[in-house]
């Protein structure tokens, strides 16, 4: 059988299976297909990538950041350093001086004709020159800031942020671990659902074969009873009783067939196969589904170390602690080193100039919180409360997992005992049915006794299948409880 299955896998690998041939799948191959197909696993992997990028982003907070800013502004009026009256005075500076000088020297000029002639010729020239000089002064103070251009390139380097950057980086690291643990938990959950669906199909397949065998058995017995009725050895009541058993067997087979179809559809969905594709499972062809295992060991410490759920709760505790540290940083001073280059047009580095010019600058900025009405203190208290809650939930989860490990270990032991008893019952039921058939043929046992033996045989066979499946599922439950389901 194993050689045939291996040969089938070889044919599938190289595309040599004939059209319409059924795919043969083992539990491991179903698991791999389910892991590739599960959408939530894909979501968890993307979340892991997101957490990794957030961690990388948090690392950049230690480094200096450089930014450039440029701006343009148009205003309806320029900024004026001089008033309108001052501008008018500067523009008529020569006229004002010449007029004042002429008035103050009027008596002197009246007695000195030569000086009056000189002043008559020099005065207008001086007046024009001084008026021009005043105009230049007014023009020099003209800012013409209706169109302003400015830009700066600046860097900031955190020197001390109260420990907030360190705490945020630790939170990013914890978030990445949380995403990895979430992926592990989702992976184990996917495998657990797949194993349940797989063994459900195997169980129903064997029960289908059992129902078919039982139906053949009661049909043959029905034929024998009617022959005996014709011979006058059995009554019509016996025949009707057997007919009822035949109908019950047919109904049981119908239910098993329907259940098997639905179970196969669920398994196909988990594996990412078309729902109507017919597949053959390796364990369907096995005569013995499970064997009695050794007494399992109680390994609570192993479960505590491996369970992703506990790791996720521990991550929540650690995140809460670091969140408290971030809030505590609100009480601490913050120091930044700043620097850069700033330029503008117009600029005032050499008076008012209509050209782009700038300067380098460097400095230290410090922010010290003084009073916030207890806002940070209240937030820190609330965060510590959240940490306490997370610790309590972690402790409760540990207790529940310890209980779960104990229950799963006990269930494995119980399933082994049930399988041992079911195997013994099979031998007794086979012998009982053989003796009933022999007695019936010899006429010393009634049909009702044979039907009771047949029912007992069916129950024993069904219990054996259930016990074997229970052994498999109890082992899966124990692996999941220990966090070792791979």
């Amino acid at each position: 059988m194993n050689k045939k299955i291996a040969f089938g896998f070889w044919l599938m690998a190289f595309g040599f299976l004939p059209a319409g041939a059924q795919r043969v799948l083992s539990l491991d191959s179903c698991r791999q297909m389910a892991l590739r197909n599960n959408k939530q696993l894909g979501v968890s992997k993307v979340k892991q990538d997101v957490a990794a990028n957030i961690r990388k982003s948090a690392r950049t907070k230690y480094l200096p950041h450089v930014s450039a800013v440029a701006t343009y502004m148009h205003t309806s009026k320029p900024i004026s350093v001089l008033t309108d009256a001052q501008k008018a005075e500067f523009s008529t500076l020569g006229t004002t001086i010449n007029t004042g000088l002429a008035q103050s020297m009027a008596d002197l000029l009246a007695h000195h004709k030569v000086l009056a002639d000189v002043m008559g010729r020099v005065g207008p020239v001086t007046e024009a020159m001084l008026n021009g000089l005043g105009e230049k002064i007014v023009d020099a103070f003209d800012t013409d800031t209706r169109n302003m251009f400015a830009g700066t390139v600046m860097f900031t380097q955190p020197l001390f942020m109260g420990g907030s950057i360190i705490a945020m980086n630790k939170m990013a690291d914890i978030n990445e671990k949380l995403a990895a643990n979430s992926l592990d938990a989702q992976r184990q959950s996917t495998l657990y659902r797949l194993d349940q669906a797989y063994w459900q199909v195997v169980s129903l397949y064997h029960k289908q074969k059992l129902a078919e065998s039982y139906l053949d058995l009661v049909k043959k017995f029905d034929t024998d009873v009617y022959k005996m009725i014709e011979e006058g050895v059995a009554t019509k009541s016996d025949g009707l009783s057997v007919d009822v058993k035949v109908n019950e067997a047919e109904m049981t087979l119908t239910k098993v067939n329907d259940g098997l179809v639905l179970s196969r559809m669920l398994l196909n969905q988990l594996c990412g196969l078309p729902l109507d594709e017919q597949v053959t499972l390796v364990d369907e062809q096995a005569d013995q589904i499970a064997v009695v295992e050794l007494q399992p060991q109680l390994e609570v410490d192993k479960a505590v170390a491996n369970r992703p759920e506990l790791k996720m709760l521990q991550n929540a505790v650690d995140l809460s602690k670091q969140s408290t540290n971030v809030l505590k940083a609100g009480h601490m001073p913050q120091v930044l080193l700043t620097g850069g280059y700033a330029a503008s047009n117009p600029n005032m580095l050499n008076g008012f100039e209509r050209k782009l010019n700038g300067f380098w600058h460097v400095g230290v900025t410090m922010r010290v919180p003084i009073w916030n009405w207890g806002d940070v203190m209240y937030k820190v208290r609330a965060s510590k409360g959240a940490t306490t809650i997370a610790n309590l939930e972690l402790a409760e989860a540990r207790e529940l997992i310890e209980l779960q490990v104990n229950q799963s270990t006990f269930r494995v032991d119980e399933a082994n005992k049930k399988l041992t008893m079911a195997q013994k019952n099979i031998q007794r039921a086979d012998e009982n049915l053989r003796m009933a058939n022999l007695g019936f043929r010899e006429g010393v046992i009634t049909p009702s006794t044979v039907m009771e033996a047949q029912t007992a045989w069916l129950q024993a066979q069904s219990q054996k299948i259930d016990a074997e499946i229970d052994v498999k599922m109890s082992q899966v439950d124990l692996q999941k409880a220990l966090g070792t389901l791979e």
Side-chain angles (χ1 to χ4, degrees), residues 18 50 152 258 271 275 391 406 422 482:
V50 170
T152 180
D258 293 342
C271 293
L275 297 183
N391 275 313
N406 278 275
L482 294 174

Side-chain angles (χ1 to χ4, degrees), residues 154-447:
M154 187 173 183
F155 79 91
T156 56
Q157 170 63 58
L159 298 180
F160 179 74
M161 302 300 290
S164 61
I165 295 180
I166 296 175
M168 289 174 63
N169 272 272
K170 289 182 178 180
M171 291 177 69
D173 293 338
I174 296 168
N175 261 322
E176 190 171 18
K177 294 178 182 177
L178 179 62
N181 292 329
S182 177
L183 176 61
D184 190 20
Q186 184 63 41
R187 184 175 183 276
Q188 292 198 21
S189 178
T190 300
L191 293 177
Y192 183 71
R193 292 197 302 271
L194 186 280
D195 282 19
Q196 284 183 316
Y198 181 91
W199 292 116
Q200 178 73 7
V201 171
V202 172
S203 173
L204 290 174
Y205 177 83
H206 282 269
K207 287 192 175 182
Q208 181 190 53
K209 297 304 177 184
L210 175 61
E212 292 173 351
S213 298
Y214 178 70
L215 180 59
D216 293 339
L217 181 66
V218 294
K219 281 184 176 180
K220 183 178 180 303
F221 183 63
D222 185 54
T223 302
D224 294 340
V225 169
Y226 273 96
K227 287 181 180 179
M228 296 183 70
I229 292 174
E230 292 175 358
E231 295 174 359
V233 178
T235 64
K236 290 184 178 181
S237 177
D238 293 331
L240 292 174
S241 297
V242 178
D243 288 341
V244 171
K245 286 294 181 182
V246 172
N247 290 335
E248 291 177 352
E250 290 174 344
M251 290 178 61
T252 300
L253 179 59
T254 300
K255 290 180 180 179
V256 172
N257 288 337
D258 293 342
L260 182 58
V261 170
L262 294 175
S263 296
R264 288 190 186 278
M265 291 174 67
L266 174 60
L267 181 63
N268 285 4
Q269 188 272 328
L270 292 174
C271 293
L273 300 174
L275 297 183
D276 57 350
E277 181 174 343
Q278 295 296 318
V279 299
T280 300
L281 304 183
V282 172
D283 290 283
E284 288 180 350
Q285 312 302 325
D287 296 330
Q288 191 173 25
I289 302 173
V291 296
V292 176
E293 299 288 340
L294 298 176
Q295 176 69 28
Q297 299 295 321
L298 186 62
E299 299 175 303
V300 177
D301 293 339
K302 187 176 183 179
V304 171
N306 292 335
R307 284 292 290 268
E309 294 88 348
L310 283 181
K311 294 179 181 179
M312 292 170 66
L313 288 172
Q314 183 62 57
N315 295 148
V317 172
D318 296 337
L319 278 174
S320 181
K321 290 180 180 179
Q322 295 304 322
S323 177
T324 302
N325 291 336
V326 171
L327 293 173
K328 285 181 178 179
H331 281 306
M332 306 295 289
Q334 298 176 351
V335 183
L336 292 171
L337 174 65
T338 63
Y341 182 82
S344 66
N345 181 12
N347 68 86
M348 296 181 62
L349 298 179
N350 186 26
F352 284 98
E353 291 183 313
R354 291 298 303 172
K355 67 178 182 179
L356 187 66
N357 199 359
F359 54 89
W360 294 97
H361 60 92
V362 64
V364 177
T365 302
M366 182 170 67
R367 173 183 176 273
V368 181
I370 297 176
W371 183 252
N372 54 26
W373 302 100
D375 175 55
V376 175
M377 178 184 65
Y378 297 139
K379 289 179 179 178
V380 169
R381 288 179 182 177
S383 182
K384 287 182 177 180
T387 303
T388 302
I389 293 173
N391 275 313
L392 291 173
E393 290 177 345
L394 176 60
E396 182 183 28
R398 282 177 177 168
E399 294 174 358
L400 293 175
I401 285 177
E402 182 177 356
L403 177 61
Q404 188 180 32
V405 172
N406 278 275
Q407 291 174 336
S408 298
T409 305
F410 177 80
R411 186 186 169 194
V412 171
D413 185 49
E414 184 183 26
N416 289 335
K417 293 177 180 178
K418 285 183 178 180
L419 180 56
T420 301
M421 291 187 290
Q423 290 170 343
K424 293 179 180 179
N425 288 337
I426 287 290
Q427 298 174 358
R428 296 168 185 165
D430 288 341
E431 181 62 19
N432 183 40
L433 181 60
R434 188 186 69 82
M435 295 297 295
N437 287 329
L438 181 61
F440 177 72
R441 286 194 296 269
E442 293 179 355
V444 296
I445 291 181
T446 62

Side-chain angles (χ1 to χ4, degrees), residues 56 92 111-112 194 256:
K56 294 175 182 178
T92 59
H111 296 88
H112 294 82
L194 186 280
V256 172

